[in-house]
């Protein structure tokens, strides 16, 4: 900190050595000092410095001004100048005494704090939107389950070719909507991934041919892959989705063509975007283009779901949001550098894989399969269920169906009944438990939704098994993973089927569980 004194009547100025070092000037008159300081500050600060003498002469009791100074021995600094005006016996300003402080570190700290606050607000906003996305996905999954199931029933009964084509289009649209729901869940970091050791360079090399077919002829693709990179721990399919989304985004930013580069490198601590990433070895995936670049406003919303600068019908606005969700789920980070007319660079920071215990890995570094792997996401060409049965044939099994959604429950009952199962249904856990208590051990399988008002699916399964220990249990849900885990669902105890599912998936899951029950393996 330095001191200064200004005689207002004569204009004489006295600066101590500390002040001269901070300001980078030596002067003995106020006007001379301001002229010299003006040469070392930005034009934005010129006016504030020039008006300082007139403010004092006009009666200001104190002065307080801060500005950045360049060209000093210690490099660019941010300083704050303060002064107190002393009056003569007639009330006129006589002299000003003050101090000059180097506040560079304080400004840097405040800037870093503002950046952290902005990042926190953004993270909170993304988390809030993610929660909303997870809730929307649950309701959407119930609707899609009904649409897919009813469409399949109509396809079986309609013979008119034109009507069948319309039904096929409805089914395709529902399947696309289901994919959109999965993107929402990925963005919200609620989609269940299957992480494993992934050699990023090998993944890019395998994907490169497909990417070249994806790109227009006027977009030149380059790859620069660093050798001997450590593996990352990620879901391979999701990492492919990250690359495809970034490549498509880059191509859209180059309507007149350009150059697209995919690069990998080994990160160093000084380049890490956060202390968490720098805590261990990490890999950097860089995707850069020579396109139009993004405005500051567009950059602020780049990862927001449903935000897009593309024309209506040309994009969902979920591409970069999905990238963000996948990278966050991998405990990584993403940064963007962009300039209008100069292109955009996305840098994905991914921690290197931590090697699990040897017993948990096979020779290829995969997690060993679990013999109780939950059933879900099944897709078959046709239901493997029971062949045509006569009216007097015994049922393939007796099922207690519990589903609180009034559109999904009758659909599931219809599917199961058509494939030879006897179904008793309930709209709540309490109602189902009462039926089970009344009918004793009459059920072979409990098929229940997970999240329901009152008693949830796990609690119901425990209560039913207390009555009939050998009953098979299949739980279904359209909620995101966090909500399922909150209900205490353990995949080692029961099978699980995720909504939306079609009729073949449901029948295959039920048939497999009953077969395992008959062999004593629930």
């Amino acid at each position: 900190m330095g001191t200064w004194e200004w005689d207002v009547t004569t204009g004489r100025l006295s600066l101590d050595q500390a002040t001269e070092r901070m300001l980078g000037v030596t002067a003995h008159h106020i006007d001379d000092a301001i002229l010299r300081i003006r040469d070392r500050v930005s034009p934005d600060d010129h006016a504030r410095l020039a008006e300082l003498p007139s403010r004092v002469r006009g009666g200001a009791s104190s002065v307080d001004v801060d500005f950045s100074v360049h060209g000093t021995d210690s490099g660019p600094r941010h300083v704050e100048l303060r002064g107190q005006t002393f009056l003569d016996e007639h009330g006129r300003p006589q002299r000003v005494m003050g101090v000059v402080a180097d506040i560079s570190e304080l400004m840097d700290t405040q800037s870093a704090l503002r950046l952290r606050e902005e990042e926190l607000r953004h993270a909170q906003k993304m988390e809030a939107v993610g929660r909303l996305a997870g809730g929307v996905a649950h309701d959407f999954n119930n609707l899609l389950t009904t649409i897919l199931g009813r469409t399949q029933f109509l396809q079986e009964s309609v013979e008119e070719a034109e009507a069948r084509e319309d039904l096929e289009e409805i089914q395709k649209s529902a399947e696309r909507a289901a994919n959109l729901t999965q993107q929402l869940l990925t963005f919200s970091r609620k989609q269940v991934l299957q992480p494993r050791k992934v050699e990023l360079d090998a993944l890019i090399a395998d994907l490169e041919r497909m990417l070249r077919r994806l790109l227009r002829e006027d977009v030149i693709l380059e790859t620069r892959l660093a050798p001997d990179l450590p593996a990352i721990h990620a879901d391979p399919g999701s990492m492919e989705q990250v690359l495809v989304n970034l490549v498509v985004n880059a191509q859209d930013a180059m309507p007149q063509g350009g150059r697209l580069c995919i690069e990998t490198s080994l990160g160093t601590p000084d380049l890490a975007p956060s202390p968490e990433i720098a805590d261990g070895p990490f890999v950097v995936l860089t995707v850069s283009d020579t396109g139009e670049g993004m405005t500051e406003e567009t950059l602020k919303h780049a990862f927001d779901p449903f935000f897009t600068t593309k024309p209506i019908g040309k994009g969902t606005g979920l591409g970069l949001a999905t990238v963000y969700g996948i990278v966050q789920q991998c405990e990584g980070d993403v940064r963007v550098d962009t300039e209008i007319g100069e292109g955009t660079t996305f840098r994905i920071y991914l921690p290197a894989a931590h090697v699990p215990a040897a017993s948990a890995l096979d020779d290829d570094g995969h997690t060993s399969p679990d013999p109780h792997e939950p059933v879900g996401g099944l897709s078959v060409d046709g239901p493997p269920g029971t062949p045509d049965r006569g009216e007097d044939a015994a049922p393939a099994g007796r099922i207690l169906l519990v589903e609180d959604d009034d559109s999904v429950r009758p659909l599931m009952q219809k599917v199961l009944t058509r494939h030879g199962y006897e179904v008793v249904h309930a709209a709540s856990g309490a109602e189902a438990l009462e039926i089970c208590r009344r009918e004793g051990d009459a059920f072979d399988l409990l098929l229940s939704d997970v999240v329901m008002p009152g008693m949830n699916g796990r609690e119901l399964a425990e209560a039913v098994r207390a009555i009939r220990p050998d009953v098979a249990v299949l739980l279904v849900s359209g909620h995101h993973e966090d909500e399922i885990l909150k209900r205490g669902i353990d995949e080692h105890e029961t099978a699980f089927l995720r909504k939306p599912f079609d009729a073949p998936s449901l029948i295959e899951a039920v048939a497999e569980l009953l077969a395992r029950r008959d062999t004593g393996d629930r």
Side-chain angles (χ1 to χ4, degrees):
M1 181 176 292
T3 61
W4 60 281
E5 182 176 354
W6 167 34
D7 188 325
V8 180
T9 57
T10 65
R12 182 173 179 80
L13 181 69
S14 299
L15 308 175
D16 70 352
Q17 292 183 351
T19 299
E20 290 180 346
R21 284 197 304 272
M22 279 185 277
L23 299 181
V25 300
T26 300
H28 302 290
H29 194 279
I30 186 68
D31 295 334
D32 185 33
I34 289 179
L35 285 174
R36 295 188 180 188
I37 295 173
R38 276 169 54 98
D39 293 336
R40 296 182 179 274
V41 302
S42 69
D44 295 338
D45 294 326
H46 286 177
R48 291 191 295 131
L49 283 170
E51 68 182 12
L52 191 149
S54 59
R55 284 174 54 197
V56 173
R57 295 186 179 109
S61 60
S62 63
V63 291
D64 185 353
V65 61
D66 64 273
F67 47 88
S68 296
V69 182
H70 59 82
T72 64
D73 293 340
S74 56
R77 310 298 294 170
H78 204 92
V79 299
E80 182 179 46
L81 182 148
R82 293 183 179 182
Q84 180 68 43
T85 304
F86 294 89
L87 308 178
D88 61 17
E89 64 272 15
H90 302 292
R92 293 173 299 196
Q94 183 177 26
R95 72 180 187 278
V96 180
M97 299 179 66
V99 296
V100 176
D102 185 340
I103 59 171
S104 300
E105 291 186 4
L106 175 63
M107 295 297 290
D108 290 342
T109 301
Q110 290 178 340
S111 178
L113 181 60
R114 284 193 297 270
L115 178 61
R116 287 295 184 183
E117 288 176 345
E118 184 176 343
E119 290 177 344
L120 177 60
R121 286 194 297 270
H122 183 264
Q124 290 172 333
K125 179 184 71 174
M126 298 294 265
E127 178 65 21
V129 175
R131 290 175 183 242
L132 174 62
V136 169
H138 163 253
D139 293 338
F140 205 34
N141 281 333
N142 276 337
L143 295 172
L144 290 173
T145 299
T146 303
I147 292 171
L148 285 168
R150 297 293 180 182
T151 301
Q152 288 171 340
F153 282 138
L154 286 173
Q155 286 174 322
E156 294 174 4
S157 59
V158 172
E159 295 183 358
E160 184 182 347
E162 185 175 348
R164 290 184 64 84
E165 289 179 2
D166 290 339
L167 290 171
E168 288 174 0
E169 288 302 317
I170 292 173
Q171 183 172 356
K172 289 177 182 177
S173 296
E175 289 170 352
R176 286 196 295 269
N179 289 333
L180 183 62
T181 305
Q182 297 310 307
Q183 284 188 295
L184 278 171
L185 289 173
T186 300
F187 157 72
S188 64
R189 297 196 288 162
K190 310 303 183 187
Q191 175 64 15
V192 181
L193 303 183
Q194 297 178 346
R196 48 165 285 191
K197 280 177 58 180
V198 174
E199 303 290 344
L200 189 57
D201 285 353
L203 183 143
I204 295 172
D206 291 341
L207 198 61
E208 184 174 352
R209 181 177 298 180
M210 187 274 284
L211 292 176
R212 291 188 185 278
R213 289 198 302 267
L214 183 68
L215 295 171
R216 301 189 310 267
E217 293 181 354
D218 59 358
V219 176
I220 300 173
L221 174 64
E222 295 180 357
T223 57
R224 303 171 188 166
L225 307 181
D228 302 324
L229 283 178
I232 60 173
H233 193 62
D235 179 89
S238 294
M239 288 311 304
E240 290 179 355
Q241 189 176 4
V242 166
L243 273 167
V244 170
N245 286 0
L246 290 177
V247 165
V248 170
N249 188 74
Q251 176 174 251
D252 291 342
M254 299 185 288
Q256 306 303 320
R259 192 173 299 275
L260 168 63
C261 182
I262 300 174
E263 185 176 359
T264 60
S265 59
L266 181 63
T268 55
D270 58 305
L271 297 178
S274 65
E276 293 79 12
I277 299 294
D279 192 39
F282 64 94
V283 172
V284 184
L285 168 63
T286 304
V287 178
S288 57
D289 65 66
T290 58
E292 298 171 337
M294 289 186 275
T295 64
E296 184 176 346
E297 185 65 21
T298 298
L299 181 59
K300 286 181 181 179
H301 300 284
F303 298 109
D304 290 359
F306 303 114
F307 175 81
T308 180
T309 58
K310 300 174 185 177
I312 294 176
K314 297 296 185 181
T316 63
L318 279 174
L320 292 181
T322 301
V323 169
Y324 177 88
I326 292 172
V327 172
Q328 290 292 306
Q329 199 159 356
C330 293
E331 299 182 352
D333 208 344
V334 55
R335 290 290 187 269
V336 187
D337 293 319
T338 186
E339 187 174 343
I340 295 295
E342 299 296 328
T344 300
T345 298
F346 286 85
R347 290 185 177 86
I348 310 293
Y349 301 84
L350 299 166
H354 297 291
V355 181
S359 60
L361 298 178
D362 61 21
D363 292 338
D364 296 325
H366 298 69
T367 303
S368 299
D370 190 329
H372 300 287
E373 182 70 20
V375 179
L378 302 174
S379 179
V380 294
D381 294 333
T386 311
D388 293 339
R389 307 171 63 88
E391 293 183 2
D392 298 330
R398 200 158 190 259
I399 298 174
L400 178 56
L401 169 64
V402 192
E403 168 62 62
D404 63 312
D405 190 287
D406 292 336
S407 63
V408 176
R409 186 174 61 256
L411 170 66
M412 294 174 68
Q413 181 180 9
K414 186 174 183 179
V415 171
L416 294 166
T417 303
R418 280 198 174 190
H419 288 82
Y421 296 102
E422 181 183 351
V423 180
V424 178
H425 63 84
S428 68
E431 181 185 351
L433 188 56
E434 180 60 33
I435 292 173
C436 190
R437 285 170 176 161
R438 186 173 63 246
E439 301 195 23
D441 60 354
F443 297 102
D444 301 299
L445 180 133
L446 170 66
L447 174 55
S448 175
D449 193 19
V450 172
V451 182
M452 299 183 293
M455 183 181 295
N456 64 47
R458 177 190 62 81
E459 295 167 338
L460 176 60
E462 290 176 351
V464 170
R465 277 183 169 162
I467 299 172
R468 183 169 187 181
D470 65 341
V471 69
V473 175
L474 174 61
L475 298 181
V476 300
S477 181
H479 270 288
H480 55 65
E481 184 71 1
D482 280 0
E483 290 299 324
I484 296 169
L485 291 174
K486 286 178 184 177
R487 271 67 182 182
I489 303 302
D490 186 345
E491 65 183 40
H492 297 283
E493 294 180 358
T494 189
F496 181 77
L497 184 63
R498 181 169 294 280
K499 297 176 182 175
F501 49 78
D502 55 15
S505 297
L506 175 61
I507 295 303
E508 182 168 324
V510 168
E512 181 178 332
L513 275 176
L514 290 177
R516 284 163 55 181
R517 174 182 176 273
D518 291 341
T519 59
D521 180 12
R522 287 183 297 156

